[in-house]
Amino acid sequence: MIKELHIKLKSWLMIVAMLVMATNYSYSQTTDPIRIKGKVTDDKGEALVGVSVLIKGTSKGTSTDIDGNYAIEVPSTAILLFSYIGFDPQEVKVNPSGVINIKMAGDKVLDQVVVVGYGTAKKKDLTGGLAVVGKEQLSMVSTPNLMDRLVGQVAGFSITTGNAAPGAAQTLLIRGENSISANNSPLIILDGIPYSGSLADIDPNNTENISVLKDASAVAIYGSRASNGVILIQTKRGALGKAQVAYRGQLGLAEPMQQIEVMGPNEYIRFQQDIGRLRQGYTGYLLDPVAGDIISVTERGNYLNGITHNWQDYIFRRAATMDHQLSISGGTENTKYMASLAALDQDGVVYNSRLSRLNMTTNLDQTFNKWLTIGVGMQYTRRSDGGVTPNIEHAIKQSPYGSYKDAAGNYVPEPMEYSLIANPMRNVNAIQDRYNNNFFLSGYANILLPVKGLSARSNFGYNYRSGFTGTYYGRNTFDGREQAGLVGGSASISNSHYNDYTWENILKYERELGDHRFDVTGLFSMQQTKSVGSSQSGQGFVTDDTQYYMMNTAARNIINDSSLSETALLSYMGRLNYSYKGKYMLTLTGRSDGASVFGINNKYAFFPVAAAAWHIGEESFLKDNVKWIDMLKLRVSYGANGNQAITPYRTLDRLYSNVKYIWGDAGIAVNTAYLAGDGVGNPNLKWETTYSTNIGLDFQFFKNRLGGTIDVYNSRTKDLLMTRTVPIMNGYSRIWDNIGETQNRGVEVTLNTVNVNGRDFKWNSTVVFSLNRDKIVELRGDGKDDITNNWFIGKPLRVFYDYNMIGIWQTGENYSMQPGAAAGAAKLEDVDGNGVINTNDRTIIGSKNPRYMASFANRLNYKNFYASALLTGVFGVWRDDHMANLGAWTFGITNYVHGANYWTPENPNATIVSPGYLNTQGHGYYKKVNYVQVRNITFGYRVPQNITKKVGVSGIDINASVNNLHTFSNIRQVLNYDNTWMASYPTARSYMFGLNVNF
């Protein structure tokens, strides 16, 4: 018995010993560390820098380097957590191989690589304020103008199309106006090179993306030219893969979005009768259209014969657009290429207006070895947009009974026998050819130096532009007619040539040491421009057949002119970007610029900027407790940027020689030179400098379903480049100087939402809001306003300063306080309260800049169908109320707007003054305007690939869209809501049909 117990006990002890040994062995196996390494990429195979790699349940971890690689020692049974802002986190169990490569997926909005000054950066790492407009947003609007596609897409970026003619220039403003007299336009950078050509020359279908740099930190890298912001335009380049051939075509029809509704024949006669009785005192037969004197003799004849005209039908038209582009792109590991050819033919909605544009683009990137890559890009544009167009104002104000053409088919010069309102078509038969050639070359060389993280880059850009305009008014036009025994024909030609070059050399050093990551950039840059122009004009040609080609045969009024302008810029720049644990970021930038436009005493200026960012959402007190925050980043920046945008030679004395004198009775006219009242230079002229503070918040919430940015900024611009008035006893009356100060404040908000994210149906929205308040802080140092120029200290830069109309005087009221007033006259406000209306009662009516702007964009996808819509709005901008300015509109004889509620004794509750009112004060009429435009609606269909493969192509996209469908506003009688003049070139409503095919 004892022996059996001994045997059993021994067996149990052996089992326990074996279990202990197994446990100990197992424990040693789980605690012995192993080395894990690998690479983290996105779904395209691109390395992700700064990915957090943590051992689950511990605080031990590391992060990926600049090549996406990582290495870490972990227990063999550990689980690794991979997390990265903007991507879905991953958990991976360690495997014995020791190699774990991770491909991360998710919403990569924050990891998007964006173009910044002299390089790129991930969006989540930005310390400065900028906005990026990608291909998806650029394709929301289908017009052939690049800037039209940006309207409403970027907070704080205003694009005003004052002249809506095809190919016309637009006004661009980033965060309002800082300067009173100097240029407020932003700097344009095309493929890394400053670009001063027309943006109408750029094919928008070749644009990859656009970055708009707004705050001091973002623009500091460009120094002196960047105080008004920077627009970086990147064209498409080749990508790894087989050759891809693509065709993009559009056909469209356009018409004026709206016309001015003028009085019809019967309403016009009643209006002329009211003018006659209220202004001229006519009664009885004098008010009769035939026997009286209310319309001209020509109008009476057409009245009797029932002949009327709608003059806007003659000057406006439906216009066709054809836009075609063929491109090829592709590449190998070492060679990447892209080439495209595009042709645009666009007729304008005004008679004789047109735009023809030919674009040729090539981009080539060649990697020779591990340390050398060279790229070159070329763009050539041939643009033609000539044509003498009708006078729009004359068509709107023309009498419906005026004569259009005579019996011979010629345009009647004065349809109403009134010289101020002539036939709008009287010069449309003139010949005008206008051509512009633009050649833009950009190249770079990237060199990896034999020091880890050190690289060099050299950029070179060259731009040559030439322009030619030739115009001939023949005998079949009013300006070229034969008169008073003088030979007819009038011709003019002008030529312009512009070239510039930019050469930049950049040295960059990037390193990552543990939790610290930094890069240092140094720059040396030079730029030179040269502009040459010449022109000729003359009258009196033997025949019209020679047009403008034989200027030497002109008989009279021969004028020759020429010009030359040159500038140069020399710059040095340094920038440091530092990041700690990917959560705390700092950017320090300094740039020194020297510009030839300034005097010898102040050629150079230095502009420093500092910016910092903090990923608050990565802090444990938020990350561990608030799960719906995906990213929360605070940005702060402060610094100075300069403005050199003045005409060259303002620092030098300038002699004028455009006056001829005759010395003696028998002498001949000879040129002379004189110092004009504004011809004295100022050698102390220096940079206009803007000091800006920006506080920004970037955020992504609810698994990236809601994201956006909020920016608040304050700018003060000092040493304004302005013309100051000096006593004439100096021998001159005006001189350029650095005087005055302005302030610019604003708020910008951008919200991006994913409303629906289903398998088949997706719906995204973007809301953009911005407001800007500018004011003049100081003018000339004496605290006095400049009433002549409407500049007032403490008030906005651009204001209306005039008498304020508060109503209409009525019969029986005492209007003796207002000189020239009578019943039906404008009642002006007695601002100073002294009982008399005089010049002291003029006051500031309002700002010419909007109170705020907003836009709302929607993008929807359902299986292979897609749709988008964009609305933009401008609110609280003061404009001239041309409809209310009855006297200036009609001159007492012309047509007027339909349904005008003007004052008569029978209509005392009117909103418009009496036709008999004589505006002796010369005041204007103003209104605060709001308008919302349906900028674009697009519907499209992507043909499934199983169908496209059957026809031998890889993709087909069919779409239809309408641009400028309608405008909702508190005013109606205008042709272009971006223009203060009611008779400007009209905004076009266009219907576009597109076809995209990838082969």
Side-chain angles (χ1 to χ4, degrees):
M1 183 71 175
I2 296 175
K3 186 177 181 180
E4 292 179 358
L5 290 173
H6 179 74
I7 293 173
K8 289 182 178 180
L9 180 60
K10 187 176 180 181
S11 299
W12 280 107
L13 289 173
M14 290 179 63
I15 293 173
V16 171
M18 291 177 63
L19 288 174
V20 170
M21 292 175 63
T23 304
N24 184 61
Y25 177 78
S26 175
Y27 177 79
S28 67
Q29 290 294 304
T30 58
T31 57
D32 287 344
I34 62 174
R35 183 175 176 80
I36 300 295
K37 64 180 180 178
K39 186 172 184 177
V40 182
T41 61
D42 62 12
D43 55 7
K44 293 183 179 179
E46 296 180 355
L48 296 179
V49 182
V51 176
S52 174
V53 184
L54 287 176
I55 302 173
K56 187 175 182 180
T58 73
S59 60
K60 183 180 179 182
T62 185
S63 59
T64 57
D65 61 19
I66 59 175
D67 296 317
N69 297 318
Y70 74 95
I72 187 173
E73 289 190 349
V74 302
S76 60
T77 58
I79 295 176
L80 293 181
L81 301 177
F82 295 83
S83 61
Y84 199 46
I85 299 175
F87 286 78
D88 297 330
Q90 292 190 34
E91 293 187 7
V92 179
K93 189 174 182 178
V94 169
N95 62 61
S97 69
V99 177
I100 300 178
N101 294 319
I102 297 295
K103 181 177 288 187
M104 301 196 73
D107 189 340
K108 299 181 287 296
V109 172
L110 300 174
D111 196 58
Q112 176 187 4
V113 176
V114 299
V115 178
V116 296
Y118 303 113
T120 60
K122 293 185 183 296
K123 196 170 184 180
K124 68 182 182 63
D125 295 334
L126 296 174
T127 58
L130 65 82
V132 179
V133 181
K135 290 183 290 185
E136 184 180 35
Q137 291 168 283
L138 289 173
S139 62
M140 284 190 65
V141 178
S142 54
T143 64
N145 185 299
L146 178 61
M147 288 298 106
D148 284 347
R149 302 190 180 195
L150 282 179
V151 174
Q153 304 274 26
V154 178
F157 184 25
S158 168
I159 302 172
T160 304
T161 309
N163 181 0
Q170 295 161 293
T171 301
L172 311 180
L173 289 176
I174 296 177
R175 293 187 166 180
E177 295 179 285
N178 295 312
S179 181
I180 295 179
S181 298
N183 197 322
N184 283 288
S185 299
L187 173 67
I188 309 296
I189 303 293
L190 177 61
D191 287 338
I193 302 298
Y195 176 76
S196 58
S198 172
L199 292 173
D201 287 345
I202 298 176
D203 180 9
N205 297 325
N206 263 346
T207 303
E208 180 71 18
N209 59 65
I210 296 176
S211 298
V212 181
L213 314 185
K214 297 185 286 188
D215 78 336
S217 175
V219 305
I221 203 81
Y222 294 105
S224 65
R225 297 162 293 177
S227 64
N228 299 314
V230 181
I231 300 173
L232 305 181
I233 302 173
Q234 291 294 117
T235 59
K236 295 178 180 178
R237 306 192 79 88
L240 181 66
K242 66 177 184 179
Q244 299 286 330
V245 178
Y247 165 78
R248 181 185 179 94
Q250 281 190 321
L251 298 176
L253 290 174
E255 61 185 2
M257 184 178 65
Q258 61 192 43
Q259 296 187 13
I260 303 294
E261 297 180 50
V262 296
M263 292 179 170
N266 295 331
E267 190 179 11
Y268 172 75
I269 292 297
R270 289 195 300 271
F271 178 59
Q272 294 302 321
Q273 288 173 334
D274 286 335
I275 292 176
R277 69 189 180 98
L278 296 174
R279 180 175 298 184
Q280 307 295 336
Y282 291 163
T283 59
Y285 77 93
L286 291 175
L287 296 175
D288 185 82
V290 178
D293 195 28
I294 60 171
I295 56 177
S296 67
V297 174
T298 300
E299 291 175 279
R300 292 175 203 168
N302 289 333
Y303 176 82
L304 287 171
N305 295 315
I307 300 174
T308 61
H309 299 281
N310 185 339
W311 292 88
Q312 293 180 71
D313 286 347
Y314 300 137
I315 66 167
F316 296 143
R317 64 181 180 182
R318 287 188 173 89
T321 296
M322 292 189 299
D323 190 7
H324 305 281
Q325 186 202 53
L326 188 65
S327 65
I328 181 171
S329 64
T332 63
E333 290 287 347
N334 296 324
T335 305
K336 298 178 179 63
Y337 57 89
M338 190 285 295
S340 71
L341 178 66
L344 168 69
D345 273 307
Q346 181 182 13
D347 289 331
V349 296
V350 175
Y351 185 89
N352 260 0
S353 61
R354 66 182 187 276
L355 171 64
S356 295
R357 188 180 69 198
L358 176 69
N359 291 86
M360 292 187 290
T361 304
T362 60
N363 284 322
L364 178 66
D365 300 280
Q366 177 67 46
T367 300
F368 291 94
N369 47 50
K370 292 183 178 180
W371 58 270
L372 178 61
T373 300
I374 292 179
V376 63
M378 184 276 293
Q379 297 187 49
Y380 170 74
T381 304
R382 168 80 167 182
R383 178 163 54 95
S384 172
D385 56 357
V388 176
T389 56
N391 187 306
I392 298 175
E393 178 189 0
H394 290 181
I396 293 172
K397 295 181 177 180
Q398 205 66 243
S399 165
Y401 292 110
S403 292
Y404 182 48
K405 291 183 178 180
D406 59 21
N410 300 314
Y411 296 113
V412 175
E414 297 176 4
M416 305 165 56
E417 301 171 19
Y418 185 47
S419 61
L420 289 181
I421 305 295
N423 195 319
M425 306 288 286
R426 66 181 186 176
N427 282 317
V428 295
N429 289 329
I431 296 169
Q432 185 178 74
D433 299 313
R434 184 163 53 230
Y435 304 105
N436 292 275
N437 297 287
N438 188 352
F439 175 77
F440 184 79
L441 177 69
S442 61
Y444 71 89
N446 268 341
I447 303 172
L448 296 180
L449 299 173
V451 176
K452 185 178 181 180
L454 185 63
S455 63
R457 180 182 176 102
S458 185
N459 296 331
F460 181 80
Y462 176 77
N463 190 199
Y464 171 76
R465 300 197 302 272
S466 66
F468 169 81
T469 302
T471 307
Y472 184 77
Y473 293 90
R475 289 161 176 80
N476 60 344
T477 66
F478 182 80
D479 288 359
R481 71 194 186 283
E482 294 187 344
Q483 55 180 330
L486 298 176
V487 178
S490 176
S492 65
I493 60 173
S494 64
N495 289 278
S496 64
H497 299 273
Y498 171 90
N499 68 80
D500 67 48
Y501 78 84
T502 302
W503 186 27
E504 299 173 333
N505 293 284
I506 306 162
L507 195 64
K508 190 167 187 176
Y509 182 63
E510 298 178 271
R511 283 302 300 272
E512 183 172 352
L513 302 173
D515 292 329
H516 307 274
R517 181 158 50 92
F518 62 90
D519 69 73
V520 181
T521 303
L523 166 79
F524 168 73
S525 173
M526 62 177 67
Q527 181 181 7
Q528 189 167 346
T529 72
K530 182 177 181 179
S531 180
V532 178
S534 62
S535 63
Q536 290 179 297
S537 63
Q539 294 178 330
F541 295 87
V542 175
T543 175
D544 290 337
D545 295 337
T546 58
Q547 300 179 16
Y548 52 77
Y549 294 106
M550 296 181 66
M551 296 294 300
N552 59 311
T553 63
R556 64 185 185 275
N557 295 335
I558 301 172
I559 300 174
N560 297 304
D561 194 15
S562 61
S563 62
L564 168 67
S565 177
E566 294 179 295
T567 67
L569 185 70
L570 191 65
S571 304
Y572 307 88
M573 182 277 299
R575 177 179 63 188
L576 168 66
N577 287 322
Y578 169 76
S579 173
Y580 177 66
K581 290 186 175 181
K583 294 191 294 184
Y584 314 103
M585 289 155 283
L586 175 69
T587 299
L588 300 175
T589 308
R591 177 158 175 152
S592 176
D593 287 298
S596 62
V597 297
F598 293 112
I600 191 171
N601 299 333
N602 292 296
K603 288 287 186 187
Y604 285 86
F606 179 71
F607 304 104
V609 177
W614 175 25
H615 271 290
I616 307 175
E618 290 298 292
E619 299 293 348
S620 58
F621 62 83
L622 278 181
K623 189 173 184 178
D624 298 339
N625 298 302
V626 186
K627 300 300 182 182
W628 51 269
I629 296 181
D630 302 306
M631 190 275 289
L632 186 64
K633 182 177 69 173
L634 178 67
R635 294 178 283 104
V636 179
S637 68
Y638 176 78
N641 298 114
N643 189 354
Q644 52 149 345
I646 60 170
T647 307
Y649 315 121
R650 300 300 98 180
T651 61
L652 304 175
D653 293 341
R654 301 171 302 280
L655 293 177
Y656 289 72
S657 58
N658 57 349
V659 175
K660 295 180 182 291
Y661 283 100
I662 298 177
W663 304 100
D665 294 338
I668 60 174
V670 295
N671 286 334
T672 187
Y674 66 97
L675 186 66
D678 62 348
V680 171
N682 181 358
N684 296 316
L685 207 62
K686 61 182 179 180
W687 302 82
E688 185 177 279
T689 306
T690 298
Y691 300 87
S692 301
T693 302
N694 189 95
I695 300 175
L697 189 68
D698 302 331
F699 54 89
Q700 294 288 127
F701 300 148
F702 309 113
K703 295 185 179 181
N704 299 313
R705 296 291 293 266
L706 171 64
T709 62
I710 301 174
D711 281 275
V712 180
Y713 62 89
N714 180 38
S715 300
R716 293 180 77 92
T717 302
K718 299 182 179 181
D719 298 323
L720 296 178
L721 292 165
M722 296 172 57
T723 302
R724 72 181 306 169
T725 303
V726 297
I728 193 63
M729 66 183 66
N730 293 299
Y732 54 93
S733 58
R734 298 180 305 279
I735 187 172
W736 277 87
D737 204 351
N738 293 102
I739 49 176
E741 180 180 341
T742 62
Q743 179 179 279
N744 207 323
R745 294 178 174 176
V747 177
E748 299 167 352
V749 180
T750 301
L751 293 177
N752 299 300
T753 64
V754 180
N755 306 314
V756 179
N757 192 25
R759 179 177 178 181
D760 294 328
F761 180 63
K762 300 180 185 298
W763 173 24
N764 301 331
S765 298
T766 300
V767 177
V768 174
F769 171 86
S770 60
L771 64 85
N772 178 268
R773 302 289 184 268
D774 59 33
K775 71 175 182 179
I776 297 173
V777 178
E778 186 54 76
L779 284 170
R780 294 178 174 87
D782 55 8
K784 295 182 179 179
D785 298 327
D786 186 337
I787 297 178
T788 302
N789 290 305
N790 289 350
W791 296 337
F792 301 91
I793 296 173
K795 300 299 180 181
L797 276 63
R798 318 290 176 190
V799 297
F800 287 110
Y801 178 71
D802 204 345
Y803 296 95
N804 183 32
M805 178 179 167
I806 58 175
I808 297 176
W809 290 107
Q810 299 295 329
T811 303
E813 287 187 304
N814 181 13
Y815 35 74
S816 61
M817 62 181 299
Q818 182 176 321
K827 181 184 292 186
L828 306 180
E829 182 182 4
D830 183 12
V831 175
D832 58 12
N834 65 355
V836 177
I837 302 297
N838 53 33
T839 56
N840 294 328
D841 292 308
R842 291 179 297 169
T843 186
I844 295 173
I845 306 298
S847 174
K848 297 180 181 180
N849 293 323
R851 295 288 292 174
Y852 60 93
M853 298 182 295
S855 67
F856 182 43
N858 286 277
R859 293 172 292 276
L860 302 96
N861 290 273
Y862 177 71
K863 294 185 177 180
N864 292 324
F865 294 91
Y866 63 91
S868 64
L870 175 63
L871 281 77
T872 62
V874 176
F875 304 91
V877 56
W878 281 89
R879 296 278 176 84
D880 288 288
D881 189 353
H882 295 286
M883 188 175 72
N885 198 350
L886 190 151
W889 182 307
T890 69
F891 303 104
I893 194 172
T894 63
N895 205 349
Y896 193 40
V897 292
H898 168 69
N901 184 24
Y902 58 86
W903 187 95
T904 64
E906 300 79 22
N907 183 33
N909 297 321
T911 56
I912 300 173
V913 296
S914 165
Y917 172 50
L918 298 177
N919 186 355
T920 57
Q921 279 81 17
H923 65 84
Y925 301 78
Y926 311 96
K927 188 169 185 176
K928 184 182 285 188
V929 176
N930 307 309
Y931 56 97
V932 175
Q933 292 184 297
V934 183
R935 184 69 61 171
N936 176 270
I937 298 176
T938 296
F939 295 96
Y941 178 70
R942 298 183 183 93
V943 180
Q945 286 193 343
N946 60 343
I947 298 177
T948 60
K949 288 181 179 178
K950 293 180 181 180
V951 296
V953 298
S954 60
I956 299 176
D957 187 316
I958 304 169
N959 57 75
S961 62
V962 56
N963 301 301
N964 301 317
L965 177 63
H966 186 71
T967 299
F968 301 92
S969 178
N970 60 335
I971 59 172
R972 181 65 184 167
Q973 301 293 4
V974 294
L975 297 174
N976 177 2
Y977 286 90
D978 280 353
N979 197 306
T980 59
W981 174 231
M982 59 90 181
S984 60
Y985 194 105
T987 299
R989 177 190 295 123
S990 60
Y991 305 91
M992 309 297 293
F993 303 90
L995 173 65
N996 303 326
V997 182
N998 295 318
F999 299 92

